[in-house]
Amino acid sequence: EAGVAQSPRYKIIEKRQSVAFWCNPISGHATLYWYQQILGQGPKLLIQFQNNGVVDDSQLPKDRFSAERLKGVDSTLKIQPAKLEDSAVYLCASSLVQGAGETQYFGPGTRLLVL
Amino acid sequence: QKEVEQNSGPLSVPEGAIASLNCTYSDRVSQSFFWYRQYSGKSPELIMSIYSNGDKEDGRFTAQLNKASQYVSLLIRDSQPSDSATYLCAVNGGAQKLVFGQGTRLTINP
């Protein structure tokens, strides 16, 4: 079974530029998550999708971050304009269904450096 | 108070010894508890999940949960150098979302 795929793996941009990340979850997984992991910290949930609907985006900085999950499969996360403090690893995860006990499987992440 | 708290370490343990990692959480309605291992530069990988009070063993790993004390721990027996990593405690509470601690960096010394 293929895992969660993410691209690009690395991205370097200057502040105020825009950037987009792509995620393809494990086949059949209805729930998709985007996390931000700043160096030395645990992952922080940005947004959670159930199929193509948003379940939780309470910690997404909506003035600069946006995300969509078209057709309930792939997802993109966009930052526009980027700030220095957005430098982090952006992790995508998926789970079969939404639920308290569901295991989340993580992709390799995209490392973003904002200069 | 942070929702999930861990000692950031580093925790240094000699090879073959028992490594003990601890985590406390603040949300009393939390239902599910997870331990993820994260090697440097890699993504988190699930190693243990626990849902009820008591111990759960899987090979060299034992997870312990005490809901009354809002405490979850991970024991690694016969520690190996390959166990050197950051261990993330994650709790799924009433909001149905996973909240991670900051992680404990574990180093196993040969």
Side-chain angles (χ1 to χ4, degrees), chain A residues 11-25:
Chain A
K11 192 74 177 179
I12 300 174
I13 61 172
E14 294 186 351
K15 60 183 179 183
R16 292 187 291 273
Q17 286 187 322
S18 63
V19 64
F21 313 129
W22 173 83
C23 172
N24 180 246

Side-chain angles (χ1 to χ4, degrees), chain A residues 37 42 100-101 103-104 107 111, chain B residues 31-32 36 38 41 43 46 51 92:
Chain A
Q37 186 174 24
T103 298
Q104 296 185 23
R111 295 181 176 276
Chain B
Q31 303 170 3
S32 309
Y36 283 82
Q38 187 172 30
S43 58
L46 181 69
Y51 308 105
N92 197 326

Side-chain angles (χ1 to χ4, degrees), chain A residues 9-10 33 35 37 40-45 48 56 58-59 91 98-109 111, chain B residues 3 8 31-34 36 38 40-46 49 51 88 92-93 95-103:
Chain A
R9 294 294 309 277
Y10 305 91
Y33 314 80
Y35 289 88
Q37 186 174 24
Q41 299 181 19
K44 181 183 83 170
L45 180 68
Q48 176 182 339
D56 186 338
S58 58
Q59 298 190 98
L91 295 163
Q98 177 189 345
E102 280 301 310
T103 298
Q104 296 185 23
Y105 298 89
F106 285 83
R111 295 181 176 276
Chain B
E3 291 185 70
S8 61
Q31 303 170 3
S32 309
F33 307 86
F34 305 87
Y36 283 82
Q38 187 172 30
S40 181
K42 302 295 185 182
S43 58
E45 114 187 78
L46 181 69
S49 58
Y51 308 105
L88 297 163
N92 197 326
Q96 296 291 304
K97 69 180 182 184
L98 210 54
V99 179
F100 284 84
Q102 67 182 74

Side-chain angles (χ1 to χ4, degrees), chain A residues 1-6 22-29 92-94 105-108:
Chain A
E1 178 182 77
V4 177
Q6 290 188 247
W22 173 83
C23 172
N24 180 246
I26 293 173
S27 178
H29 280 199
C92 180
S94 69
Y105 298 89
F106 285 83

